[in-house]
Amino acid sequence: MIEIKDLHFSYGESEILKGINLKIRKGEVFGLLGPNGAGKSTLLLHLNGLLKPKRGTVIVDGLDASKNSKEVRRKVGIVFQDPNDQLFSPTVFEDVAFGPYNLGLRGEDLKERVLEALKLIGMESYIHREIKHLSFGEKKRIAIATVLAMKPGILVFDEPFANLDFKGKQMIRNIIEKLKGEKTIILASHEVEYLTLCDRIALIDEGKIVKVGTPKQVLSDVKLLRKHNLDVPPLIELFLSLGLEVPKDLEEAKKSIGNFLSQNSK
Amino acid sequence: MYLPFLLIYALLVVTRKSLIELAYFGVVLGCLILMLKPKKSIFKHLGFLLGFEGFLFILALFNPGEVILVTPIGAITKEGIYSFFLLLGRAFLSSSVVVLVSNSLGFSKILAEMETLKFPRILVLTLAFTYRYLDLFKDEALRMKRALDSRAFGIGKLEYYKKLGALIGEIFARAYLRNEKIYMSMLSRGFGEFPKFETKKDIIPIALTMIVLLGVLL
């Protein structure tokens, strides 16, 4: 479990996080929704002690992240927004192996771990490819493998859907769906439609938590979302105006519309 | 290990004094091509290399000696032609063997060999990072220059070059910022030390090194 208490953080004079309080339960998919510059990425960097709070604490499984960063980093894996920041080795194998190597794995164990992580994202055939020859979408998926190879209990994704085409977004979504239930997943995004797969969502803006609730509770408040410069997809607005639950995916949307039509035709 | 072979081959090639000796090294290069079976695109690179180096040494054609052709820019001599092919042969053979091996094996394996040969780790890592980020750096610079060009109308050349200078500074500032993010990403994956690059034992480069040394001794 992650518990964030009264978290404050500043870059120089400008205060980015202004007293964040959050509890993220074990095994849940938690969404951080907010416009650009809301403080989402800064908050995520506190989760494994990469940034130290100015005030307040971040407790991960009973450990203070700022004081036990080494232990916490084994538990919390962060997938950065730009895969070029994450992938620094010449080949896929070397980059995916970097984390497990630092965990003490060597030889065949290390190779197995790398292959296992690549299999999870369906990219085992890329093991000897050079990173600079990969497309942006491929790099994004490999960036996920670099973290999965460390087998962390908590996975943090910073804008996982940013700059991807539809196919790329679906692939990342499928990977997250696959990991759901196995790990605690934290997703930071400003794309409302992709946060419907979360169990709970926190709306964050100007360094403060504005609202926390289920996707239905948060996304149904269209006025609030618009007030915080967030785009509400027409499909979600349609469902809300019909009084239906916000669907998690297209299949659920089809079922829901089907039920709605059959009930109303009677 | 190909790296010792490359070093020995290049060193011996650049110290040869006759075309016959270079021809021997040419045969070794041919054997290497047959063994490594490189991609076809490599021959395009080698062709470009040959043309470029040929252009570099063109002045050698006009060395003093027995004149065989007079051109508007000077007299081409017999000794000049010999020097030209000697220089071209040395440069082409020594550089093409590096291009051939690094393209066929991949840069990672070259780095791994450097590591095995106890090159300073900082040098190996710097090369690895440079190789990984050079394209990204180049792309970023190109994008920024395009952005500058698209809005740099109506300004004089001096002003343009001032802006270009500032842009170069900005590229380095961005590289520094990226550097910080990469370090964070490394820390979040438990950065303690870098994995060692692993090498496999290979008989081909050892055999080739022996052939090269034997040829020189004979």
Side-chain angles (χ1 to χ4, degrees):
Chain A
M1 195 181 83
I2 299 173
E3 196 172 358
I4 303 166
K5 287 180 199 165
D6 191 31
L7 182 65
H8 287 257
F9 183 78
S10 317
Y11 282 118
E13 291 292 296
S14 60
E15 199 175 9
I16 309 295
L17 301 178
K18 302 166 186 168
I20 301 275
N21 287 293
L22 264 181
K23 272 185 188 175
I24 299 168
R25 297 174 208 128
K26 196 176 177 181
E28 78 172 330
V29 180
F30 192 88
L32 265 180
L33 176 65
N36 294 334
K40 302 187 294 291
S41 298
T42 309
L43 175 58
L44 296 186
L45 293 175
H46 280 86
L47 299 183
N48 69 358
L50 286 170
L51 292 179
K52 311 276 180 219
K54 192 180 166 193
R55 207 169 79 212
T57 50
V58 176
I59 308 290
V60 179
D61 289 344
L63 296 168
D64 187 333
S66 62
K67 289 175 188 155
N68 305 277
S69 53
K70 274 198 173 176
E71 288 85 349
V72 168
R73 280 170 200 162
R74 286 168 183 254
K75 294 171 184 283
V76 183
I78 296 187
V79 181
F80 288 73
Q81 183 176 351
D82 184 351
N84 285 316
D85 294 337
Q86 184 131 9
L87 307 174
F88 43 79
S89 307
T91 66
V92 169
F93 175 81
E94 283 160 40
D95 219 298
V96 180
F98 180 81
Y101 185 92
N102 283 313
L103 290 177
L105 267 68
R106 299 286 185 274
E108 281 306 308
D109 293 343
L110 183 64
K111 277 181 195 163
E112 263 174 40
R113 182 68 76 88
V114 171
L115 209 60
E116 196 183 327
L118 288 172
K119 268 185 190 161
L120 267 171
I121 55 153
M123 292 185 83
E124 60 268 40
S125 61
Y126 283 65
I127 190 162
H128 296 301
R129 293 272 291 271
E130 288 200 15
I131 282 163
K132 67 178 194 171
H133 294 148
L134 303 179
S135 70
F136 188 84
E138 287 168 339
K139 280 184 196 167
K140 203 115 184 175
R141 284 154 67 200
I142 294 294
I144 296 176
T146 63
V147 174
L148 288 177
M150 296 176 70
K151 294 193 173 175
I154 300 160
L155 269 173
V156 178
F157 293 87
D158 190 3
E159 297 283 359
F161 307 106
N163 302 320
L164 287 175
D165 58 13
F166 177 72
K167 197 182 158 195
K169 284 180 181 177
Q170 285 305 115
M171 279 178 168
I172 300 289
R173 189 186 170 122
N174 289 342
I175 293 170
I176 295 170
E177 294 264 21
K178 214 195 250 183
L179 298 167
K180 210 173 164 180
E182 281 177 38
K183 296 180 187 295
T184 306
I185 297 173
I186 301 165
L187 292 174
S189 180
H190 62 270
E191 292 181 70
V192 174
E193 66 206 274
Y194 286 97
L195 291 182
T196 52
L197 58 85
C198 296
D199 299 316
R200 285 192 308 146
I201 295 174
L203 175 60
I204 176 172
D205 197 10
E206 293 178 357
K208 287 178 188 165
I209 298 290
V210 179
K211 187 171 183 171
V212 184
T214 61
K216 195 191 172 191
Q217 287 166 341
V218 178
L219 303 181
S220 60
D221 200 340
V222 177
K223 266 189 187 171
L224 182 76
L225 295 180
R226 293 245 159 89
K227 190 182 157 194
H228 293 281
N229 297 317
L230 291 161
D231 187 27
V232 183
L235 190 69
I236 290 182
E237 230 179 325
L238 172 73
F239 272 80
L240 292 170
S241 64
L242 293 174
L244 299 171
E245 287 252 351
V246 176
K248 291 194 172 184
D249 52 35
L250 199 62
E251 282 308 307
E252 210 178 296
K254 279 181 193 168
K255 266 186 204 167
S256 185
I257 289 278
N259 290 341
F260 178 80
L261 289 175
S262 62
Q263 276 170 14
N264 282 281
S265 62
K266 284 170 196 168
Chain B
M1 293 237 286
Y2 279 87
L3 210 53
F5 163 70
L6 289 180
L7 293 172
I8 292 169
Y9 183 94
L11 191 72
L12 293 176
V13 161
V14 295
T15 50
R16 293 307 91 199
K17 289 190 173 102
S18 78
L19 285 177
I20 294 170
E21 283 178 287
L22 284 182
Y24 177 77
F25 284 89
V27 172
V28 175
L29 181 71
C31 294
L32 190 67
I33 290 173
L34 290 175
M35 283 182 218
L36 291 177
K37 297 184 186 92
K39 287 178 196 159
K40 280 183 184 169
S41 60
I42 193 105
F43 296 104
K44 208 171 140 187
H45 289 144
L46 294 181
F48 174 77
L49 201 63
L50 189 66
F52 177 71
E53 288 170 347
F55 179 73
L56 276 184
F57 300 123
I58 208 151
L59 285 177
L61 290 170
F62 308 105
N63 277 358
E66 189 186 327
V67 177
I68 52 169
L69 182 70
V70 178
T71 68
I73 52 167
I76 295 174
T77 62
K78 199 176 166 185
E79 288 76 6
I81 291 174
Y82 193 83
S83 305
F84 171 76
F85 280 111
L86 193 64
L87 285 170
L88 181 62
R90 284 175 183 168
F92 178 69
L93 288 174
S94 55
S95 53
S96 57
V97 76
V98 176
V99 172
L100 186 71
V101 170
S102 59
N103 268 275
S104 306
L105 297 183
F107 196 67
S108 274
K109 285 198 178 141
I110 302 288
L111 292 173
E113 292 195 358
M114 288 174 79
E115 188 123 86
T116 313
L117 289 169
K118 307 277 178 225
F119 274 64
R121 188 131 176 86
I122 188 80
L123 174 71
V124 179
L125 292 177
T126 306
L127 278 175
F129 274 102
T130 308
Y131 181 69
R132 165 71 186 93
Y133 283 102
L134 201 61
D135 278 9
L136 218 63
F137 193 71
K138 187 188 82 187
D139 287 348
E140 189 139 20
L142 265 177
R143 275 199 301 272
M144 287 169 78
K145 184 166 180 305
R146 270 190 214 127
L148 170 69
D149 290 346
S150 69
R151 284 178 291 152
F153 41 80
I155 58 168
K157 272 197 172 172
L158 187 69
E159 186 74 9
Y160 177 79
Y161 285 115
K162 267 188 191 170
K163 297 270 181 222
L164 202 61
L167 183 145
I168 292 166
E170 177 63 24
I171 291 170
F172 282 103
R174 286 192 189 188
Y176 177 76
L177 287 175
R178 183 179 288 277
N179 183 30
E180 287 213 326
K181 286 182 187 169
I182 293 165
Y183 184 58
M184 274 195 176
S185 137
M186 286 160 68
L187 282 181
S188 74
R189 285 195 273 156
F191 176 52
E193 58 173 321
F194 271 94
K196 296 234 182 306
F197 299 99
E198 284 177 19
T199 43
K200 280 182 189 166
K201 281 182 183 161
D202 194 348
I203 195 76
I204 296 174
I206 300 168
L208 283 170
T209 312
M210 300 305 281
I211 291 169
V212 165
L213 288 170
L214 202 68
V216 172
L217 289 173
L218 290 173

